[in-house]
Structures are given as C-alpha cells and as structure tokens.
Amino acid sequence: MIRVAFSLARREFVRFIRQPQRVIGAVAQPLLFWLFLGAGLGGSFRPPGMEGVTYLEYFYPGVMVMMMLFASIFSSITIIEDRDAGFLQGVLVAPVSRMAIVLGKVTGGVAIAMVQVVLFTAAAPFLGLSLSLGSLLMLLVGFVLTGMGFAALGFMLAWPMKSTSGFHAIMMVFLMPLWLLSGALFPVTGVPGWLYAVMMANPVHHALNVIRAPFYGPPAEMFASGQYLASLAVTVAWAVACLVVSMARVGRREKGAAVAAA
Amino acid sequence: MIKIDTLTHVYPGSRKLGPRTAIDSLSLHVRDGEFVILSGPNGSGKSTLFRILCGLALPSAGRVAVAGYDLFAQPAKVRQVVGVVFQSPAVDKHLTVGENLRIHADLYGIRDFAARRDEALGWTDLGGRIDHKVDTLSGGLARQVELAKVLMTHPRVLLLDEPTTGLDPASRRMFLAALGRLQKDRGMTVLMTSHVFAEAEEADRVAIMRDGKLLAYDTPAALRELIGTEMVVIQPTDANGLAERLRAEMGLAVRVHGDEIRLEETENGDGLPLLERILQRYRPEILSISIKQPGLEDVFVHVTGKAVPEHAHPVRDLQRTGTL
C-alpha cells in the first residue's frame, strides 16, 4: 500500500514541477497577499495584549495556513481531471487498496504544499522570530497534519464532482470563509460572541493554532498548554475523519437499481 | 474463464426519467484462452457490461465469475488477474512512457520492473521513445503504450473496450496483429468490444447484443451461416419502389436496409443468374449490383435489424473490398 501511495504521490509531484507557472503562482500569490496586507494593515493593528507584535508577524502563520489550505486542496482536486482524462479508471481497476488511492493523492498534495511553505518559513528570521530545532520539528509536524486534513477535505469534496468549475463555488462560499474565520487575519480575542463560537468550531482555526504555537515557545511549553493540545486533537481528528470519508467514497461502486427476483 | 450468469442491470430512474434496463438477464461464457468479440449497436448495453466486468459498477442482479473468483464478493482477487484497456486513454499524458509504465508496475506490485518493461516494450514500436511524454506520441503509439502497460502485468484475462477507436487503418491492423499474437503466445482469455466487423473475423467467437440481451454467440463461420451462402446486393435509385416491384413482379424475398436491397437467402451459384435477370429488367433503376459472400457485418445487420452504427462506416468500405 505504501509503495502504491508513494508512486501516486510522486506522480503528483512530478506533474507539479513540470508546470512552472503553477509553481510560481503557488508561491507568489500568498507572498503578495502577506506583503500587501501586512504593509497596509500594519498601522491600524493594535489588539490588546499584543503590543510587541507587528501585523506582518501576526499574519505570518496565517499565510502559512493559507498556503497549506489552498495548495493541498488545489492539488487534491486534480482527481477531477484524472477522472476526466481517464487516468483514474486505470487506477481503480488495479489491485490496490482504496486507501492507497486516497493517500497517494493526499500525500502528493501535502508534499507540494510543503515545498512552498517551507520556503516561506525562511522568512522567519527577518521577522525576528527564531525557531529552536524542536520547534521547527513541531512546525513541520503541524504542516503535515494540517495539509493531510485539507488535502483529504479537497479529495472528499472533489470525488463526486464532474468538472472543476463546480469547485469554484465551493471555494468561495466554503473554503475562503473557513480561512477568513480561522484567526489568520484577526485574533479571536475581541470578536463578538457569536463569531467567537463560529471561529472555535472552525477546524482551520485549530490548524492555525498548531502552526502558530512553535514560533512562540519550545515544545515542552506547547505540550503543557491545554489550548495547544485541544487544537492538536481537533487537527488530527479532522484529518482522520476526512481520510475515512474519502476512502468510503472511493470504495463505493455505482450500483444498479434493485429488481424483483425472477 | 469469464462466466456471466443471468446478469441484469437497471439504471435507477430520476424524477424525470423512469428506470432503464441496460442489461437484461444476460448469460455468456468465455472459455479459457478464447478470444471473444462483443458487438452490438450503440445503447445495446455493451459499455454497461464492460463497466461491471472491470468491477467499476455493481449490477442489479446476477453473478459473474472471473478465473473462478466471484467478481462481486472478491473484487480484489479478480483485479489481480485481469488487465483492462479502456476506450479513453488511461495513461497520464503529461508523463513519459517510462514513468507511466513505472506507475503501473507499482500499482500491480511488480518487482523486476526493468525486465518487465523491456519485455512489454519489446513487441511495440516504442523503442527509443521511452523518455518521451505520451502527449507527443501519435494516436497509434499511445494505444501501444496502453496495451504494453496492461500486458506488463501478465494478465490471464484481458478486457478491451473498443481499443481501436480513433486509429487509422494501418495502426488498427498493427494493434490487432500484436494483440492476436500475444493472446496466442500467452494463452490469454480476451473479451473485446468492437463495432468494427473486420476485427471480429479474427475472433474465436462473436457475441452480438441488443437492448441488453444476447442475440447471437458463435464462431464467425457459424454466424455467417445464419444467412445464405451468397447474397445479391442492389443499390437502386429508389430502394422501396424497386423492392416492391421485385416482390410483385419476380416473386423474390427481398429486404431493404437503408438505401440497399438485399436478397440474403440465395443458394451458392444462384446469385449470378439472378443478378443477370434483375439487371435485364431493371437496369435503368440500378446504380450498382453485386454478389457478395456474407460478412459479419451482414450478420450483424441481419441479427440486430438495425443499420450499422454511424461511426463504423469509415471502415465498412475496407472490409467490403476484402470480402467481395
């Protein structure tokens, strides 16, 4: 199963690398987002209790989550193209476990997103953020976990779709709000009560916590924090749930209508 | 090797449309090592049957056993022994030939990849293009990648869904020649759907279906015997008018197929005198007239009672020159 998943994931990666415009777009877009919003909102960002934090710095993990979210989802929805182009049918009739099909796509998506986000991590020292080796490791673990969850979510949503055009609607009304309400752009402290409830129920908010924490404390401190552990649990549960649903969707075969026994 | 037993598939209806029966209590048995061609007009249920056989759909009722395994209870076992060539390409055209083969080998757990790859490419014309992307290859070569990929796993059963669609006659012939040779060498059981009757002549047996039912299933020779040994085919200016007159004035049993009139049940040797008599009386109304040994296309027309599907026409002329 691992070999199959690895082989399918490598295919995703090779295809990504061979499309330079996709590589540039994927890295440049969040970078511009970060620089423009960071510069523009910097002057007016004065949340209580975060006096020493510039907006550029506050927004930094939020952009990482954005990269993970969109890069992994965009690569896992290529399952729609695979079905359209015919590649998928050949995989489905092969003697491989359905989980390997899901994992191949998801791992490929995570790998692609990781390349971008790890490059982006190189900006940390310029913000005055330093990472110990342990924190860096926890950051990478955070990337992998959130990427798995997002890529599996994309897979799950894309599987029954006939064309990528339907996905744009989902993107705007569902995925974009998930990110907007994650705390990437503004902190949860100081929002109205109803918004606070929505943000706490949003798995992307917990993914953001998992990615933000390593910048502000060593692993020992993170594991002592109830909030971090809760967010970590939500992120893991989210990834597992999306993977299980995806696998069930792949395993389901179209079934003929029942007929009265002759 | 492939045992289909009273298979029925009904597509569930929607709010607007009622349920539709695509396959109706169909039974078909393909013996070990046989090359069977499955044919039928569009909408006859071929594609549905194909989807069920490769395990992508579950039928409403009935059983299918492949290589002794129950297709619905043990799909994983069946997938191990079956190779599938789809009508639409199942290779990633952004990857190279070698990369596509590599993925396929990984999917099927093949260990000695390099040896298998070289063996699989040995019979193809792909030598030297292993590092080329599939979308730079011609249609014929891309099809060869498809077949090479599937045969690399040494399947005992090969399913092909109109594999020669879109190929020019020369590529088509090459593909079929390679397929036929490999089938014999390896003793593979092959079930292939096809609209092209020149292909069916090569098969051990031909199955013809329509409306989800099996209408005929026999060797090409036996199928040809369904209609007389010779037939006279007339292309008149007005098919229905002349057919009426042939019936009334000469007492002949004629059938009209499109713009043709056919006298199918003609004994050997009777064709020529009959042709001369018709020509004498009706010459001005006849564009062409010929005596023909029935081919499988004629059997298909006879059995299904429908004209040959549109897209089979380009090759019809080819086949005709061979059988006249």
Side-chain angles (χ1 to χ4, degrees):
Chain A
M1 182 174 105
I2 290 168
R3 181 175 165 200
V4 172
F6 180 76
S7 186
L8 292 173
R10 186 171 55 190
R11 162 178 176 261
E12 298 295 325
F13 202 78
V14 167
R15 283 179 61 121
F16 175 73
I17 297 291
R18 291 205 182 139
Q19 293 169 288
Q21 69 279 26
R22 209 175 136 193
V23 181
I24 292 165
V27 178
Q29 192 242 10
L31 201 64
L32 293 176
F33 229 80
W34 178 58
L35 290 174
F36 293 160
L37 275 178
L41 289 171
S44 46
F45 182 75
R46 298 271 181 278
M50 284 195 203
E51 278 70 24
V53 179
T54 64
Y55 190 68
L56 216 52
E57 181 187 331
Y58 177 79
F59 192 33
Y60 183 62
V63 173
M64 289 179 156
V65 168
M66 182 191 201
M67 284 178 146
M68 290 310 297
L69 183 66
F70 293 118
S72 30
I73 284 183
F74 274 131
S75 55
S76 68
I77 64 164
T78 54
I79 194 85
I80 300 175
E81 282 168 47
D82 290 348
R83 187 196 298 279
D84 222 36
F87 179 79
L88 183 63
Q89 57 189 355
V91 177
L92 286 175
V93 299
V96 299
S97 81
R98 309 292 104 170
M99 193 65 191
I101 298 174
V102 179
L103 279 180
K105 198 71 176 174
V106 167
T107 319
V110 173
I112 291 166
M114 288 289 278
V115 172
Q116 304 166 26
V117 83
V118 166
L119 279 175
F120 188 62
T121 309
F126 299 105
L127 292 165
L129 296 170
S130 63
L131 284 163
S132 69
L133 209 58
S135 296
L136 186 63
L137 195 68
M138 286 316 292
L139 183 66
L140 293 178
V141 170
F143 287 153
V144 171
L145 285 177
T146 54
M148 296 281 274
F150 296 153
L153 174 73
F155 190 99
M156 185 180 100
L157 294 174
W159 183 259
M161 292 200 166
K162 297 262 183 295
S163 77
T164 41
S165 54
F167 204 83
H168 295 299
I170 292 199
M171 187 80 204
M172 292 320 286
V173 303
F174 180 61
L175 298 176
M176 201 68 192
L178 275 185
W179 178 72
L180 290 175
L181 298 180
S182 67
L185 287 164
F186 50 82
V188 284
T189 49
V191 298
W194 64 270
L195 193 56
Y196 180 80
V198 172
M199 288 175 80
M200 291 311 284
N202 177 4
V204 183
H205 168 70
H206 297 281
L208 179 66
N209 284 346
V210 170
I211 287 177
R212 190 190 294 276
F215 290 105
Y216 298 100
E221 209 172 288
M222 286 157 60
F223 284 111
S225 148
Q227 192 206 20
Y228 178 79
L229 289 177
S231 287
L232 191 65
V234 170
T235 305
V236 170
W238 169 258
V240 170
C242 287
L243 284 174
V244 168
V245 173
S246 295
M247 197 182 87
R249 288 201 151 172
V250 176
R252 197 184 308 138
R253 286 190 274 181
E254 152 208 342
K255 173 103 176 76
V259 285
Chain B
M1 187 50 82
I2 305 174
K3 241 190 181 124
I4 303 171
D5 188 16
T6 57
L7 194 73
T8 296
H9 192 84
V10 179
Y11 283 107
S14 61
R15 268 171 299 169
K16 284 184 191 155
L17 298 164
R20 189 173 64 82
T21 303
I23 299 175
D24 190 359
S25 320
L26 182 128
S27 296
L28 181 82
H29 183 193
V30 180
R31 288 192 288 258
D32 200 353
E34 241 184 341
F35 187 169
V36 169
I37 286 193
L38 176 66
S39 183
N42 293 328
S44 57
K46 286 193 311 287
S47 302
T48 306
L49 180 61
F50 192 83
R51 280 182 63 75
I52 293 173
L53 286 179
C54 50
L56 293 175
L58 292 170
S60 301
R63 304 178 67 76
V64 176
V66 179
Y69 301 113
D70 184 323
L71 177 60
F72 310 127
Q74 302 164 285
K77 291 270 188 207
V78 175
R79 286 188 191 115
Q80 298 274 0
V81 296
V82 175
V84 185
V85 176
F86 292 95
Q87 190 178 349
S88 56
V91 290
D92 188 333
K93 55 187 186 359
H94 299 294
L95 300 185
T96 67
V97 174
E99 286 167 339
N100 268 297
L101 293 176
R102 174 89 226 195
I103 291 176
H104 198 72
D106 287 337
L107 292 177
Y108 284 79
I110 289 174
R111 300 256 166 247
D112 48 345
F113 171 64
R116 287 286 191 102
R117 177 193 61 202
D118 297 344
E119 175 207 54
L121 291 176
W123 61 266
T124 66
D125 308 307
L126 290 162
R129 305 206 62 175
I130 189 163
D131 292 323
H132 290 223
K133 284 194 199 166
V134 174
D135 63 1
T136 65
L137 301 179
S138 68
L141 284 180
R143 273 281 110 171
Q144 291 192 357
V145 177
E146 202 92 20
L147 190 60
K149 177 189 98 158
V150 169
L151 291 178
M152 188 173 59
T153 66
H154 291 178
R156 288 168 63 199
V157 178
L158 188 60
L159 304 173
L160 304 102
D161 189 14
E162 307 203 6
T164 58
T165 305
L167 295 190
D168 62 65
S171 311
R172 180 188 295 272
R173 205 162 300 158
M174 253 157 51
F175 182 88
L176 288 169
L179 177 63
R181 202 176 58 243
L182 290 160
Q183 185 256 338
K184 287 200 177 61
D185 287 356
R186 298 190 185 173
M188 271 188 303
T189 307
V190 175
L191 179 65
M192 169 170 140
T193 67
S194 178
H195 272 318
V196 183
F197 299 93
E199 295 178 349
E201 300 284 349
E202 309 290 319
D204 293 321
R205 286 200 284 174
V206 178
I208 300 176
M209 64 189 285
R210 196 193 69 194
D211 297 335
K213 290 194 172 72
L214 192 63
L215 297 181
Y217 183 36
D218 218 325
T219 60
L223 285 176
R224 270 195 295 272
E225 280 170 20
L226 284 178
I227 42 185
T229 47
E230 261 181 22
M231 59 196 282
V232 178
V233 179
I234 310 168
Q235 292 211 305
T237 47
D238 167 24
N240 287 317
L242 185 63
E244 251 344 286
R245 294 179 61 192
L246 286 171
R247 284 192 199 107
E249 295 167 16
M250 292 184 73
L252 295 169
V254 299
R255 290 172 69 165
V256 178
H257 290 291
D259 56 358
E260 282 183 356
I261 295 175
R262 295 182 166 206
L263 288 88
E264 287 177 344
E265 284 86 18
T266 311
E267 287 303 316
N268 258 355
D270 291 353
L272 193 58
L274 188 61
L275 180 145
E276 284 172 343
R277 273 165 53 215
I278 295 172
L279 208 51
Q280 250 170 13
R281 292 181 72 154
Y282 305 107
R283 180 155 216 153
E285 294 163 58
I286 292 172
L287 298 171
S288 79
I289 182 164
S290 58
I291 298 173
K292 190 173 160 185
Q293 294 294 319
L296 282 173
E297 184 195 345
D298 305 303
V299 177
F300 183 83
V301 170
H302 178 83
V303 169
T304 64
K306 280 185 184 173
V308 174
E310 280 295 302
H311 63 275
H313 280 196
V315 288
R316 199 165 69 155
D317 297 333
L318 259 186
Q319 188 232 345
R320 192 170 286 162
T321 47
T323 51
L324 261 173

